[in-house]
Amino acid sequence: MTSRARVAFGPLLVLAGLIAGIAAGEAAGPGAARVALVGGGVGVVTAAIVTRPGARVAIAVLAFGLLGTAVMQRALHGLVVSALTAPVQARDDVTVRGTLVEDPEGTRFSARVLMKVDAVGRRLLVDATGDAGPRLRLLSAGEGVTLRGWLEPLTGFDERWRWQHAVATLHANELLDARNARAPLDRLANAARGAVLRGSGSLAPVDRALLAGFLLGDRRGVPDDVTERFRLAGLTHLMAVSGENVAFVLALCAPLLRRLGLFGRLAGGVAVLALFGTMTRWEPSVLRAIAMASIALVAGYLGRPAAGLRVLALAATALLVADPFLLHSVGFLLSCGASLGIAVLARPFAARLPGPEWACEVLGVTAAAQVGVAPVLIPVFGSVPLVSLPANLVAVPLAAPLTMWGLASGVAGGVIRPFAPQIAWLLTVPTAALLHALLTVADLASRVPVTVDGRAAWGLVAIAALMAAVVHARKVRRDARQLPAR
């Protein structure tokens, strides 16, 4: 293997070692894992010192395997050992002061949300009913609350919340106090969200809810039947903020960032990413996209542009070291799968497709992303809609201008609406047209009942492998005929 190949595949091998270590740590269970943590740290330092590329990669793989084991065991340990452990086991009545980690969701008379307890730094899943439910739903992430209720261990389907670091359920029946967000970034992000959503105030309720999903990943107001149509069409990812949204936000800010110096562009870009991440509540797909964008910005600042596959591996490694529970996040896995598919398959697909170059590129990226997410979608949801490829081919080009125009016009409309409501309404006309076009695509595509399940997927893989083998055999035979006779 050449040195260039080692540079390209080294981060992927390190990521594989980290994932193996995380799996081993989960199998081992909760623990302090001091030996693995120290061993991994020593290994990382050693890998940085070693000059031979092959030895450096081997040591790094082992080191990050140990780190993966350590961070997972320690994360699990944090779920079972804390100041809340005894009150949870005793199901005590408590008064808890904390900060909302996300925006509350629920029904008209109840609310559910993750809350970080200020005193101990642990998270609780709040299940609010009675007077607390409707009042809690009016709050936003980053705001402080004081709740009264009783604690209970996570049980049944709620156990999945432990992968978001929840240690127990707080059944809250009283909201004693609500406070504005203390962190300046949270306050700024909530103000920006409010401006964008105010700018869409003249849209129909369904359109307004869909726009919040496309721009901010907030699907709380989207009707269930609309969500189902997007799912059947394979377009649900459009309502989850991803790398495209991050790229569009950076593109919108590019004219301003270009006026800054080299370091100013880096600092400004990172600031924009931090603000947008806080606005979208740091969903796993957003984390992946922002981590990759940040690495790309740093690489550009250092004059060492990095390829997409390498950036993806570095971003996933950093995020999993920081939070190994992301390995259980479907959104994170889908986001990484789509990025991996695009990085590896988009160009080969586009190169083999007939037609105009721009159409081949769009279709190649769309097909590559669909192939990338299939290994996650099929085991989790049982099947993938066959219509998702043509549906995405039509919908994705519509989502791009919707995101850019929706963000820009939303902020502008939110600012001028109190003074010039008619102008604010005019700004929403293109937004409504794009939303209705996307709804039409989802509605038509959702009526195609054909899906690809696990067996069909393996059949398609076998057919593709057979076709590739036939093409390779023909190429070998043709090359052999062209050789001069001896």
Side-chain angles (χ1 to χ4, degrees):
M1 183 181 294
T2 65
S3 60
R4 176 175 293 184
R6 290 193 188 98
V7 170
F9 289 100
L12 289 175
L13 294 174
V14 170
L15 176 59
L18 175 64
I19 292 173
I22 290 174
E26 184 175 349
R34 294 186 181 88
V35 174
L37 185 62
V38 173
V42 171
V44 170
V45 174
T46 304
I49 297 174
V50 172
T51 56
R52 292 182 58 187
R56 177 188 299 171
V57 171
I59 294 171
V61 170
L62 177 60
F64 277 88
L66 291 172
L67 281 179
T69 300
V71 295
M72 175 55 98
Q73 284 194 271
R74 291 171 71 86
L76 292 172
H77 187 262
L79 295 181
V80 298
V81 178
S82 72
L84 293 173
T85 302
V88 169
Q89 295 300 323
R91 291 170 167 78
D92 284 348
D93 293 323
V94 292
T95 298
V96 180
R97 179 186 175 95
T99 304
L100 300 183
V101 176
E102 57 188 8
D103 296 321
E105 60 181 23
T107 65
R108 183 178 178 184
F109 302 105
S110 65
R112 304 194 93 191
V113 66
L114 278 176
M115 180 184 76
K116 184 176 182 180
V117 181
D118 291 342
V120 296
R122 294 290 193 267
R123 293 184 178 185
L124 293 173
L125 170 62
V126 177
D127 189 354
T129 56
D131 177 64
R135 294 176 61 197
L136 191 61
R137 285 206 66 194
L138 299 176
L139 304 180
S140 300
E143 295 183 331
V145 294
T146 303
L147 295 165
R148 180 177 294 161
W150 57 279
L151 295 170
E152 181 185 47
L154 295 169
T155 58
F157 193 61
D158 284 345
E159 288 188 4
R160 76 190 192 279
W161 289 90
R162 71 176 183 144
W163 301 123
Q164 296 187 51
H165 300 273
V167 301
T169 301
L170 171 64
H171 295 277
N173 47 38
E174 289 185 71
L175 176 59
L176 302 179
D177 181 37
R179 303 173 298 280
N180 292 329
R182 289 180 296 179
L185 184 58
D186 287 330
R187 292 199 298 269
L188 182 59
N190 287 343
R193 279 175 65 96
V196 171
L197 297 178
R198 280 196 305 274
S200 63
S202 57
L203 292 172
V206 173
D207 292 349
R208 190 163 60 250
L210 269 176
L211 185 64
F214 286 126
L215 301 184
L216 303 170
D218 186 353
R219 294 179 287 179
R220 292 175 296 170
V222 180
D224 292 340
D225 63 316
V226 175
T227 300
E228 183 65 9
R229 272 183 277 169
F230 273 80
R231 187 190 69 80
L232 293 174
L235 300 175
T236 305
H237 65 94
L238 295 178
M239 291 189 288
V241 180
S242 63
E244 287 184 347
N245 301 74
V246 172
F248 296 150
V249 168
L250 287 176
L252 283 173
C253 298
L256 177 61
L257 294 176
R258 290 195 192 102
R259 297 177 178 272
L260 305 175
L262 190 59
F263 180 77
R265 294 176 191 175
L266 172 63
V270 172
V272 169
L273 293 174
L275 176 60
F276 186 66
T278 308
M279 288 176 62
T280 54
R281 308 320 190 197
W282 297 106
E283 291 290 330
S285 57
V286 177
L287 274 174
R288 191 276 312 164
I290 288 180
M292 288 187 66
S294 300
I295 291 173
L297 286 173
V298 173
Y301 173 75
L302 297 176
R304 300 177 60 183
L309 192 60
R310 180 180 174 85
V311 173
L312 172 62
L314 292 174
T317 299
L319 291 173
L320 287 173
V321 169
D323 183 5
F325 287 177
L326 284 173
L327 202 59
H328 286 273
S329 168
V330 174
F332 180 76
L333 296 178
L334 287 174
S335 182
C336 289
S339 299
L340 180 62
I342 292 171
V344 175
L345 300 175
R347 287 187 179 179
F349 281 0
R352 288 165 175 76
L353 292 172
E357 183 177 353
W358 67 268
C360 293
E361 289 181 356
V362 172
L363 184 57
V365 170
T366 303
Q370 295 301 305
V371 171
V373 300
V376 180
L377 283 177
I378 292 176
V380 174
F381 299 105
S383 63
V384 176
L386 191 61
V387 75
S388 62
L389 180 57
N392 275 277
L393 187 61
V394 178
V396 170
L398 293 173
L402 172 62
T403 301
M404 297 188 71
W405 176 258
L407 282 171
S409 64
V411 174
V415 172
I416 68 176
R417 189 180 181 193
F419 314 102
Q422 292 182 339
I423 296 178
W425 175 81
L426 284 174
L427 291 175
T428 63
V429 173
T431 304
L434 290 168
L435 284 170
H436 291 166
L438 281 168
L439 277 169
T440 301
V441 173
D443 183 55
L444 293 175
S446 65
R447 300 179 186 181
V448 180
V450 183
T451 60
V452 177
D453 59 11
R455 288 180 295 180
W458 281 114
L460 292 174
V461 170
I463 293 173
L466 180 61
M467 293 176 62
V470 170
V471 171
H472 180 70
R474 288 181 176 179
K475 183 177 182 300
V476 170
R477 187 179 302 174
R478 184 173 62 251
D479 293 343
R481 289 175 179 175
Q482 294 176 353
L483 292 175
R486 295 184 179 179

